[in-house]
Amino acid sequence: MKKNEYGLFTAIAMIVGIVIGSGIFFKSDNILIATGGSISLGVLVFCIAAIAIIFGSLTIGELASRSNESGGLIAYAEQYYNKSIACAFGWFQTFLYFPTLIAVVSWVAGIYICLLFGINGTLETQILIGLAIMVLAFIVNTMSAKYGGYFQNASTVIKIIPLVLIAILGVIFGDSNSISLEHVTSMQSTTWIAAIAPIAFSFDGWVVSTSIGHEIKDSKKNLPRALIIAPIFILAIYLLYFVGISIYVGPEQIMALGDAHVDLAANNLFGPWGAKLVLIFVIISIMGTVNGLTLGLIRLPHSLAKRGMFPNSEKIAKVNEKVLMPVNSAIVAFAISCLWLVLHYLTTKFNLLQNSDISEISITISYILYILLYVKVISLGNKGEIKGVFRSKVNPILAIIGSVMILFGSIGNDLFIVHALICLAVIASAIIFWKKKENDDNLVSSY
């Protein structure tokens, strides 16, 4: 693969472009349902959930500044723990984390494309459109790393436009009296904790940028910079949008309309044609998220295969000389994503995950895995390899607290235990696979 394909702006655009893309548009109703329609509680939970991403990215940035190996978290786990843990990280990201996000976000693109063209948005139609979006993203990113990066930059700039417009106009024309601090001061109910899970979805994706760390120019400086700048910018945009849309449309109506509340707000603010334009921006925004996730996923089987951590490694590790990309790795990644799209269809069709989806539990487990890396940063600080109390202690401790809060916010999910067991099974399978390979290699070398 080509080295140093991406600059600092693309690294920032990748984080902003993946994180801001779909979650904020279609999770606002879930957040308000969990907070009982309280905007102020929603803002509070946004800030609580932001602890995980802001301090998590600051902490991971410390490891990113010390590595330019391919694989992102896989490389960090291998360098600071061992190959078994690295294999577990890689399998989890390859088989669960990335593909569940790609499946759900592609489906969301289908929802908004149906709204744009007035198509009867049955679940089957939305899923088929989502599949088409997935195919396009995988083809573009497999055929050219550069074009994938260009689209990421462009879609990031475009996606901020509707967020800022709706945020500002919503604040100007909305009913500010609908914001009450009473819910925050009284805290009589703990149901608001459930809002952490959809907010974690809205914030998630920042860690994807580490998967292309080795392809970022001057990655030891630029990747940590991107991991600091992007999350703070995202939080500011999210808070503005959430407050703006909530006071303009009204919490009750947002909860009643679900994902269609964005279309209603755009119609009221800009008229039918303006609303169409906003929807186009939203769709490009969501496609930018799919693109960024795909850009990260297609490299993961290759990164694992290079280390002998994936079945049929020799074949998966090959890089196509014509496009200078790991095509076999991309094909495997696409097949896994398609499987999760089918599973997402089934769980949605039969309403198996109320007010949730297949990706939220994977996101929760991922934050629990990150704790291993956060602890390592504290350890490096104790050894004097990372200087400063904030960098070596405060940041990782707050990141750990954020991860634990996301876990508590997800435990109430209907199928949390089942999905968590699936995650643990994948992690255990990875460790068993590596241990068996080590034993086989030792037997061969002993002859």
Side-chain angles (χ1 to χ4, degrees):
M1 287 189 289
K2 291 183 182 178
K3 290 278 186 180
N4 303 325
E5 193 75 64
Y6 307 113
L8 174 61
F9 184 80
T10 299
I12 294 171
M14 187 175 187
I15 299 170
V16 174
I18 292 171
V19 176
I20 298 178
S22 58
I24 191 61
F25 293 115
F26 83 102
K27 291 291 186 181
S28 293
D29 56 311
N30 302 77
I31 294 162
L32 286 168
I33 288 169
T35 62
S38 171
I39 300 170
S40 56
L41 262 181
V43 169
L44 175 64
V45 183
F46 260 109
C47 294
I48 291 172
I51 291 172
I53 179 176
I54 291 174
F55 292 100
S57 62
L58 286 169
T59 305
I60 295 294
E62 294 295 338
L63 302 180
S65 68
R66 289 164 170 74
S67 174
N68 55 11
E69 291 293 316
S70 66
L73 298 186
I74 303 170
Y76 310 153
E78 182 179 17
Q79 182 177 347
Y80 294 108
Y81 281 99
N82 55 53
K83 292 182 181 294
S84 291
I85 300 295
C87 190
F89 263 92
W91 278 41
F92 175 79
Q93 287 195 308
T94 302
F95 289 104
L96 292 166
Y97 176 76
F98 278 82
T100 56
L101 282 168
I102 288 172
V104 172
V105 178
S106 298
W107 164 68
V108 174
I111 292 173
Y112 286 105
I113 287 171
C114 288
L115 285 171
L116 177 65
F117 293 106
I119 300 169
N120 181 23
T122 63
L123 178 60
E124 288 73 18
T125 303
Q126 294 164 356
I127 291 289
L128 285 173
I129 294 171
L131 177 61
I133 297 294
M134 268 176 48
V135 170
L136 178 63
F138 272 94
I139 289 173
V140 169
N141 283 282
T142 303
M143 293 299 102
S144 172
K146 184 174 287 186
Y147 289 133
Y150 286 159
F151 181 74
Q152 199 61 36
N153 291 346
S155 66
T156 298
V157 173
I158 289 169
K159 70 177 54 185
I160 292 170
I161 295 171
L163 283 170
V164 172
L165 275 176
I166 291 174
I168 293 171
L169 294 176
V171 170
I172 292 171
F173 298 110
D175 178 17
S176 58
N177 292 325
S178 58
I179 301 177
S180 171
L181 295 177
E182 183 183 342
H183 302 102
V184 175
T185 54
S186 62
M187 285 284 187
Q188 292 176 351
S189 172
T190 58
T191 56
W192 59 271
I193 294 172
I196 292 177
I199 290 175
F201 180 99
S202 302
F203 266 124
D204 205 60
W206 56 275
V207 80
V208 177
S209 60
T210 63
S211 67
I212 62 160
H214 61 295
E215 296 175 68
I216 295 172
K217 296 169 188 174
D218 197 6
S219 65
K220 287 189 176 182
K221 288 184 178 178
N222 285 333
L223 183 53
R225 286 172 183 166
L227 285 166
I228 293 167
I229 295 167
I232 295 169
F233 176 77
I234 290 161
L235 176 60
I237 292 288
Y238 271 12
L239 288 177
L240 277 170
Y241 175 82
F242 178 71
V243 171
I245 194 85
S246 296
I247 66 174
Y248 182 73
V249 177
E252 296 296 331
Q253 198 157 14
I254 289 175
M255 290 187 287
L257 288 171
D259 299 333
H261 72 270
V262 179
D263 189 41
L264 174 70
N267 264 292
N268 290 345
L269 286 169
F270 309 112
W273 286 106
K276 293 284 185 188
L277 187 60
V278 169
L279 274 179
I280 290 169
F281 283 166
V282 170
I283 290 164
I284 293 172
S285 166
I286 295 168
M287 288 176 68
T289 299
V290 177
N291 181 77
L293 290 166
T294 304
L295 192 153
L297 177 58
I298 59 177
R299 289 157 170 78
L300 282 177
H302 171 262
S303 295
L304 286 165
K306 282 202 311 179
R307 297 170 168 87
M309 296 177 180
F310 205 81
N312 207 359
S313 288
E314 285 187 16
K315 205 168 186 178
I316 303 299
K318 284 183 181 177
V319 173
N320 186 287
E321 295 301 324
K322 289 184 179 179
V323 294
L324 297 175
M325 289 293 289
V327 174
N328 291 336
S329 176
I331 291 169
V332 170
F334 176 70
I336 297 168
S337 299
C338 286
L339 172 64
W340 277 108
L341 187 65
V342 172
L343 292 172
H344 174 60
Y345 166 74
L346 293 172
T347 56
T348 306
K349 180 77 172 177
F350 299 104
N351 197 26
L352 299 177
L353 294 168
Q354 293 182 7
N355 202 35
S356 181
D357 57 62
I358 56 169
S359 67
E360 286 186 6
I361 299 170
S362 295
I363 291 168
T364 300
I365 301 299
S366 72
Y367 276 99
I368 301 307
L369 289 176
Y370 300 160
I371 290 176
L372 289 172
L373 299 177
Y374 301 155
V375 168
K376 183 53 65 175
V377 170
I378 295 172
S379 174
L380 291 171
N382 291 336
K383 294 175 183 176
E385 294 182 38
I386 296 177
K387 308 294 183 184
V389 175
F390 272 92
R391 290 171 57 196
S392 65
K393 298 287 189 298
V394 176
N395 290 344
I397 288 170
L398 287 172
I400 291 169
I401 291 170
S403 292
V404 172
M405 285 191 294
I406 287 174
L407 173 63
F408 278 118
S410 301
I411 287 173
N413 188 299
D414 294 341
L415 290 180
F416 177 82
I417 299 298
V418 174
H419 200 142
L421 287 173
I422 292 171
C423 294
L424 291 173
V426 169
I427 291 167
S429 298
I431 294 171
I432 292 167
F433 173 85
W434 179 253
K435 291 294 184 185
K436 184 178 183 303
K437 184 182 183 302
E438 268 190 329
N439 290 335
D440 291 346
D441 289 347
N442 290 335
L443 283 172
V444 170
S445 62
S446 66
Y447 285 109

